[in-house]
Amino acid sequence: FLYTGDVPGTSISRNSIHHSNHRCIVIEGTSNATISSNVAYETAGHCYWFGHESIDNLIIKNIGSRTNNNIGWRDRISGHNDHEMATYQIYSPLNDYIANVAAGSDGRGFRMYNDWRTLGEDLVNTGKGSLRRVAMRTFKDNKSHSNSWQGFSLYDFEQFFTFRDDINVPVFENLMAYRNQNHGIHAN
């Protein structure tokens, strides 16, 4: 779903995605969709990808397993980082991520990166401001295990760490990380 706008009632549910050569489910410029109970196996690049302008979506009870490293740095799409694969690549903190599982990725299980700008289609700065300074939505009951890098990789939570905003504290509730080669949870 790329730039479909507000789509209340839309559900991407109960799909089996396997041996994909590039990503599984991509949500960008879309709001009020439910992505639930999908299973993805042996996929290249990021599996579940949520862009800067995906907001108010519910991502619940999805499983991603064996996100592989078949996309090298020279093979990637310009401006994208699928060579640093994550089962869940999250650029927007404005969605709810509940009870999802990442298992056995050649990279990271969950990678949440809050950019200092909001990028739109073709990675153009939309001028909508910094995602680092918005309040994060729900992130709970997610599980990440047996990944080659980190289970949870969390980057640039400026709204709390720099500005000490005691109201909009990012909350990561009831996470489970085990058997990841580098770190269970890595915050930068």
Side-chain angles (χ1 to χ4, degrees):
F1 280 75
L2 293 175
Y3 298 96
T4 52
D6 191 22
V7 292
T10 299
S11 177
I12 304 168
S13 299
R14 299 184 177 156
N15 296 291
S16 173
I17 304 161
H18 56 89
H19 294 88
S20 170
N21 289 323
H22 192 245
R23 300 186 181 165
C24 306
I25 294 176
V26 173
I27 305 294
E28 173 65 297
T30 302
S31 59
N32 293 306
T34 298
I35 298 88
S36 68
S37 304
N38 297 290
V39 177
Y41 173 75
E42 195 65 49
T43 60
H46 303 305
C47 186
Y48 298 96
W49 191 90
F50 302 95
H52 298 84
E53 293 188 296
S54 65
I55 59 170
D56 299 325
N57 298 297
L58 174 61
I59 298 89
I60 185 168
K61 296 184 180 176
N62 297 287
I63 298 172
S65 178
R66 288 291 307 132
T67 305
N68 66 48
N69 62 357
N70 289 346
I71 297 177
W73 187 85
R74 293 174 193 245
D75 302 324
R76 69 187 171 89
I77 296 171
S78 179
H80 290 272
N81 63 350
D82 288 277
H83 63 289
E84 294 182 357
M85 74 295 309
T87 303
Y88 293 86
Q89 176 64 47
I90 301 167
Y91 287 105
S92 176
L94 300 175
N95 296 304
D96 294 313
Y97 303 92
I98 302 169
N100 298 290
V101 177
S105 170
D106 284 341
R108 297 168 176 93
F110 290 79
R111 180 177 186 259
M112 184 178 283
Y113 178 75
N114 290 326
D115 206 325
W116 57 272
R117 62 217 157 146
T118 301
L119 299 178
E121 193 168 11
D122 297 326
L123 302 176
V124 174
N125 189 347
T126 64
K128 293 181 180 177
S130 174
L131 287 173
R132 294 180 186 177
R133 296 184 185 176
V134 298
M136 191 175 105
R137 301 273 303 263
T138 306
F139 196 88
K140 70 177 186 177
D141 300 329
N142 295 299
K143 184 185 298 184
S144 187
H145 66 87
S146 308
N147 298 291
S148 292
W149 295 353
Q150 296 95 11
F152 295 91
S153 217
L154 313 170
Y155 293 97
D156 298 318
F157 282 87
E158 189 173 307
Q159 76 273 29
F160 178 68
F161 297 112
T162 300
F163 297 101
R164 295 292 182 202
D165 183 347
D166 295 328
I167 296 169
N168 294 320
V169 176
V171 176
F172 298 91
E173 183 180 350
N174 197 30
L175 303 184
M176 186 179 289
Y178 58 93
R179 292 188 180 166
N180 297 290
Q181 287 185 6
N182 285 349
H183 304 96
I185 299 174
H186 173 81
N188 182 1

